[in-house]
Amino acid sequence: VLETPEQLFGIDRTDKLSQKVTETEDINSYWLKRFIYLCTKGNPNTLEWLYAPYNRLSLLIDPLFQKYILNNRKLFLNLEPLARSHFGFAHSQISKMEVYTPDRGEARKQLIDKYGYDLKFAGHAIRLLWQLETLIRENEIIFPYPKTTCEHLIAIKTGLYSKEDFLKLWDREKDRITKLVDNNPFNLSVKPNIDLINQILISFYKEK
């Protein structure tokens, strides 16, 4: 969401936009500056927006957003923030796997009661590790996911992995991708070029 001139230059506050989460939908909106900031931090959610197959699925793309943000999206792919954010989010999913809270709904409670862990959180954790690997190897997020990746994620989310087998998979993949990050064999840039990103954002606002 684009800020008003008063929010950008005046004393009006740019408050965080609220997130709407139910059992059937998860709607999140960002002010543009906040969105770009999260992209520089390697945030998985905002980067997925940038790498969605927008030419095929989007109803409308602002031409200036295309020109300044989408066309420069690789500026947000930097090893340190990508690793920190993806490992961080993945670990947070793992930490929630056995703990039920009422806001998640009865269906999620039934998953934990039946399988001993929350299959949805488990699937997200592994998906984040594999997404990080793709970012390092391919310098992009590939949608839709490869067939084998989808098959593994479906197997996790449908309970075909016991809790013990899933944790073995998690430990193995975490160690493998940690080594990939440490070695950085594809020479991904380590830190974002904040000066250049600032100039691009300023140019966007000036033209908008």
Side-chain angles (χ1 to χ4, degrees), residues 40 75-76 78 189 191-200:
T40 66
L75 289 175
F76 303 109
N78 305 279
S189 63
K191 295 182 179 182
N193 186 336
I194 298 298
D195 289 340
L196 180 55
I197 293 170
N198 277 336
Q199 287 304 312
I200 288 171

Side-chain angles (χ1 to χ4, degrees), residues 74-138:
K74 289 192 183 296
L75 289 175
F76 303 109
L77 303 187
N78 305 279
L79 188 65
E80 282 187 2
L82 287 175
R84 188 183 305 113
S85 63
H86 282 72
F87 278 127
F89 276 94
H91 280 289
S92 73
Q93 300 294 299
I94 291 294
S95 69
K96 298 175 183 176
M97 270 181 22
E98 300 173 281
V99 181
Y100 171 76
T101 55
D103 61 296
R104 294 179 197 159
E106 181 62 25
R108 302 288 285 275
K109 183 178 185 298
Q110 292 174 3
L111 288 178
I112 296 176
D113 290 343
K114 182 175 181 179
Y115 297 103
Y117 69 110
D118 191 312
L119 306 179
K120 187 173 181 180
F121 282 134
H124 283 320
I126 287 293
R127 178 185 60 81
L128 285 162
L129 292 185
W130 289 341
Q131 182 168 295
L132 174 59
E133 179 180 19
T134 302
L135 284 163
I136 294 171
R137 292 184 180 278
E138 307 293 339

Side-chain angles (χ1 to χ4, degrees), residues 16-114:
K16 181 180 179 182
L17 293 166
S18 60
Q19 182 178 11
K20 180 182 178 183
V21 181
T22 68
E23 287 195 29
T24 58
E25 61 183 7
D26 184 349
I27 300 174
N28 211 348
S29 301
Y30 300 93
W31 296 114
L32 180 60
K33 283 177 66 176
R34 177 65 179 170
F35 177 82
I36 297 301
Y37 171 80
L38 291 174
C39 287
T40 66
K41 297 297 183 182
N43 182 282
N45 295 327
T46 54
L47 289 179
E48 286 166 10
W49 287 15
L50 292 185
Y51 281 88
Y54 50 87
N55 290 329
R56 190 161 45 86
L57 299 179
S58 298
L59 296 176
L60 176 68
I61 300 174
D62 184 285
L64 292 182
F65 188 82
Q66 173 83 56
K67 175 181 176 180
Y68 288 108
I69 310 302
L70 289 179
N71 289 352
N72 290 291
R73 58 189 179 176
K74 289 192 183 296
L75 289 175
F76 303 109
L77 303 187
N78 305 279
L79 188 65
E80 282 187 2
L82 287 175
R84 188 183 305 113
S85 63
H86 282 72
F87 278 127
F89 276 94
H91 280 289
S92 73
Q93 300 294 299
I94 291 294
S95 69
K96 298 175 183 176
M97 270 181 22
E98 300 173 281
V99 181
Y100 171 76
T101 55
D103 61 296
R104 294 179 197 159
E106 181 62 25
R108 302 288 285 275
K109 183 178 185 298
Q110 292 174 3
L111 288 178
I112 296 176
D113 290 343
K114 182 175 181 179

